[in-house]
């Protein structure tokens, strides 16, 4: 298994181009199952997660063609025919969001057998809202031995679905399923994340009729068939936010490009409140910090446009060196503080109690060997390492490779001392 070694202390100066959003790309790839024509995605990130999903889609009948275009990586997905409606456990467990093939498979073939994704390290993460939505749209669902057996012998029918609480995945799954259902579907209490808007834009280019994405009420008028389309994946706001925090942690001046400051406004306000400089630009944001110590600020994670849970671990790393005490409350996922004990190995002073972590800023962190526990947690350890004295070695970086493209290269280009230590081929499977 590879590890990442960081020698702390270097200030960052330079530019980091932000990639296409992992969390959008994987839903857009799934949308390709809805048509027998090619879906051409540009601004594609190249990540372990997109590779896992590519393997699953190929198994179902897709031809996945990855290429380098003039403006970056592109993927063309073409599924002339669904050759199998079976998504096995081995593939679904590698990446939870692959569960979202269920709805499109039912929509296209009338039946599917898809493994339940199983638990993962950041909480129970059930899929009850997904299944309820599909049932409301007319699917008959049976669960046996870890698999969902779904059928819609009489086809899918538009319906009103009111989610009891906001779920990004369930909103996307319902959209992906309802676009080919007969009649109108109304999703209430829908997630408003930018990736939902991106999915709706792409589906509409394919001929779907989706209105209201980005608001809590989404209306979908079903169509008989969808066509191919060309679509650029939205910028990765979590990657942008991560490097914004990294720059604030290490100090210096970093320009993030190919992104949008408005998508990470909740984070930028907190970075400013802590005392770093933030300049919003036409194609991203510039983060500046001179030698002055940051101040502790509190955060509460929330649904968009609130503070993203996927940036919580990174912000906690930033607060380990701030002056004073920061209270970090996690409202989206239970058990999402697994990075706290690892940060403590570097000398951080953190107390976790339920959904709340208290971080008392220390004078310095000291490099140590630490272990990545999930995708976003792993990058928080890299961020801490950027400002720690000496060398930090982060193990299990396959977590990191799931969601961050060329991380060492991007940070290295700004002067960070980060290198990958190649190891044996280890398991690439997890949440
Ligand atoms: C997506 C993102 C993830 C992000 C999260 C919240 C992807 C691939 N992942 O995850 O990076 O952290 O949104 O912004 O896009 N829940 C249920 N039942 C369900 C579905 C969800 O109880 O059927 C719960 C979850 O356990 C969690 C909460 O709802 O506590 C929100 O989860 P959800 O918004 O669905 O997150 P994901 O779509 O899994």
């Amino acid at each position: 298994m590879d590890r990442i070694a960081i020698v702390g202390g270097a200030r960052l100066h330079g530019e980091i181009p932000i990639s296409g959003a992992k969390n959008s790309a994987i839903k857009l790839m799934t949308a390709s199952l809805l048509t027998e024509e090619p879906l051409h995605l540009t601004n594609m990130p190249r990540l372990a997660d997109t590779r896992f999903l590519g393997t699953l889609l190929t198994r179902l009948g897709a031809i996945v063609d990855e290429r380098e275009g003039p403006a970056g990586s592109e993927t063309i997905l073409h599924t002339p025919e669904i050759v199998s409606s079976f998504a096995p456990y081995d593939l679904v467990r590698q990446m939870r969001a692959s569960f979202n093939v269920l709805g499109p498979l039912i929509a296209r073939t009338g039946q599917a057998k898809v493994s339940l994704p199983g638990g993962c390290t950041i909480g129970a993460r059930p899929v009850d809202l997904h299944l309820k939505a599909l049932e409301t749209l007319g699917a008959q669902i049976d669960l046996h031995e870890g698999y969902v057996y779904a059928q819609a012998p009489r086809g899918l029918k538009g319906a009103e679905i009111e989610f009891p609480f906001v779920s990004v995945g369930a909103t996307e799954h319902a959209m992906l399923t309802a676009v080919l259902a007969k009649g109108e579907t109304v999703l209430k209490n829908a997630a408003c994340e930018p990736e939902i808007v991106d999915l709706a834009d792409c589906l509409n280019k394919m001929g779907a009729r989706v209105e209201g994405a980005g608001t809590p009420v989404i209306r979908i008028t079903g169509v008989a068939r969808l066509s191919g389309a060309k679509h650029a994946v939205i910028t990765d706001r979590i990657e942008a936010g991560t490097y914004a925090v990294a720059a604030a942690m290490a100090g210096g001046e970093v320009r993030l490009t190919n992104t949008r400051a408005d998508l990470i406004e909740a984070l930028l306000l907190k970075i400013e409140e802590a005392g770093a400089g933030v300049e919003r630009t036409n194609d991203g944001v510039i983060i500046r910090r001179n030698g002055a110590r940051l101040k502790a600020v509190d955060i509460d994670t929330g649904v968009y446009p609130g503070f993203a849970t996927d940036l919580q671990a990174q912000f906690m790393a930033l607060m380990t060196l701030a002056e004073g005490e920061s209270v970090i409350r996690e409202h989206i996922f239970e058990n999402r503080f697994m990075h706290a004990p690892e940060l403590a190995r570097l000398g951080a002073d953190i107390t976790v109690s339920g959904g709340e972590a208290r971080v008392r800023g220390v004078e310095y962190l000291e490099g140590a060997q630490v272990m990545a526990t999930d995708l976003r947690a792993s990058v928080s350890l890299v961020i801490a390492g950027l400002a720690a004295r000496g060398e930090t070695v982060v193990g299990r970086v396959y977590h990191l490779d799931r969601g961050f493209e060329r991380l060492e290269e991007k940070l290295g280009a700004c002067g960070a001392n980060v290198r990958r230590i190649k190891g044996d081929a280890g398991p690439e499977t997890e949440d």
Side-chain angles (χ1 to χ4, degrees):
M1 269 186 274
D2 289 1
R3 289 170 298 155
I4 297 254
I6 310 113
V7 179
R11 296 215 163 192
L12 304 185
H13 285 275
E15 182 177 319
I16 299 182
I18 302 303
S19 302
K22 167 186 94 76
N23 282 356
S24 198
I26 53 186
K27 318 304 164 51
L28 297 169
M29 289 174 72
T30 305
S32 70
L33 290 178
L34 294 166
T35 173
E36 68 269 13
E37 293 180 17
L39 178 64
H40 186 161
L41 299 174
T42 60
N43 198 34
M44 272 293 288
R46 292 276 181 257
L47 300 164
D49 271 11
T50 51
R51 207 170 59 239
F52 292 147
L53 184 57
T55 306
L56 172 60
L57 295 178
T58 305
R59 198 73 86 81
L60 304 178
I63 301 151
V64 181
D65 174 13
E66 297 191 339
R67 44 173 89 163
E68 290 311 304
S73 302
E74 304 185 353
T75 302
I76 299 169
L77 301 111
H78 187 193
T79 316
E81 194 191 344
I82 304 282
V83 298
S84 161
S85 283
F86 172 48
Y89 176 63
D90 272 358
L91 293 177
V92 177
R93 71 183 276 267
Q94 287 183 334
M95 205 258 299
R96 205 188 136 73
S98 40
F99 183 68
N100 282 20
V101 299
L102 176 61
L105 286 175
I106 308 170
R108 185 117 172 240
T109 69
Q111 51 95 29
K113 175 183 174 187
V114 174
S115 170
L116 287 163
C120 84
T121 51
I122 57 172
R125 284 180 102 174
V127 286
D128 52 327
L129 299 191
H130 296 236
L131 297 178
K132 188 90 189 32
L134 298 192
E135 278 178 335
T136 312
L137 291 169
Q140 291 166 11
I141 306 263
D142 287 302
L143 302 180
H144 295 295
E145 295 167 345
Y147 278 89
V148 178
Y149 292 76
Q151 290 193 50
R154 284 181 300 281
L156 296 167
K157 270 216 193 88
E160 182 175 309
I161 299 168
E162 177 149 9
F163 295 107
F165 53 88
V166 172
S167 161
V168 176
T171 302
E172 289 165 335
H173 206 163
M175 279 166 71
L176 284 164
T177 311
V179 282
L180 286 178
K182 268 204 192 98
E184 193 181 59
T185 296
V186 182
L187 307 180
K188 294 187 171 168
N189 202 20
C192 301
E193 269 62 10
E195 293 75 25
I196 304 272
V197 179
D198 200 35
L199 178 60
D201 286 349
C202 178
L203 289 169
N204 285 341
K205 285 181 196 164
M206 294 165 72
R209 292 175 58 197
V210 181
E211 285 167 32
T215 76
V217 180
I218 301 178
R219 283 175 198 281
I220 300 160
T221 309
V223 295
R225 65 178 294 279
L226 294 175
S227 59
K230 186 169 181 181
H231 181 79
V233 180
I234 193 172
T235 178
D236 196 323
R237 64 195 167 97
I238 304 304
E239 189 195 21
T242 298
Y243 289 124
V245 174
M249 184 72 166
E253 179 171 324
V254 175
R255 173 185 285 268
L256 306 177
T257 56
N258 194 30
T259 189
R260 284 170 43 189
D262 63 301
L263 299 181
I264 49 168
E265 188 56 24
L267 168 74
L268 295 179
L269 291 172
K270 290 293 176 183
I271 289 179
E272 278 175 322
E273 198 182 323
V278 173
E279 184 183 332
R280 294 153 183 85
T281 63
N282 283 342
D283 69 341
V285 60
I286 301 171
I287 306 291
R288 294 188 184 92
R289 183 165 76 82
N290 57 22
R293 192 173 179 195
L294 295 179
K295 291 189 291 289
V297 294
D298 300 341
I299 59 163
D300 281 83
T301 63
V303 297
Y304 188 81
F307 193 102
T309 173
D310 286 353
L311 291 170
Q312 179 258 106
Q314 297 86 318
F315 202 81
M316 184 184 288
L318 183 68
M319 289 296 100
T320 59
L321 287 178
E323 192 177 347
E325 181 180 89
S326 160
V327 181
I328 295 180
R329 294 184 203 90
E330 172 58 53
H331 299 284
I332 308 291
F333 291 111
E334 67 206 75
N335 196 19
R336 204 179 198 178
F337 287 130
M338 312 239 313
H339 41 285
E342 296 299 313
L343 289 169
R345 287 178 55 78
L346 301 173
D349 180 357
I350 305 168
T351 317
V352 173
S353 165
E356 186 176 289
R358 285 178 181 269
V359 186
R360 284 164 295 274
V362 293
E363 293 286 328
Y364 63 91
L365 298 175
E366 217 165 14
Q369 294 212 22
V370 285
M371 198 80 94
T373 51
D374 72 41
L375 170 54
R376 309 304 175 185
S378 56
V379 82
S380 76
L381 301 171
V382 174
I383 289 172
L386 289 173
R389 293 181 182 169
E391 188 175 63
T392 299
V393 180
V394 183
R396 294 197 182 162
V397 297
Y398 55 88
H399 285 294
L400 213 136
D401 293 335
R402 291 185 41 212
F404 291 92
E405 190 179 42
R406 297 180 286 110
L407 174 109
E408 3 17 315
E409 201 184 299
K410 289 187 180 189
L411 283 172
C414 292
N417 190 339
V418 183
R419 73 195 156 92
R420 180 175 289 255
I421 305 168
K422 285 275 173 199
D424 309 336
E428 272 192 333
T429 57
E430 276 289 322
D431 45 320

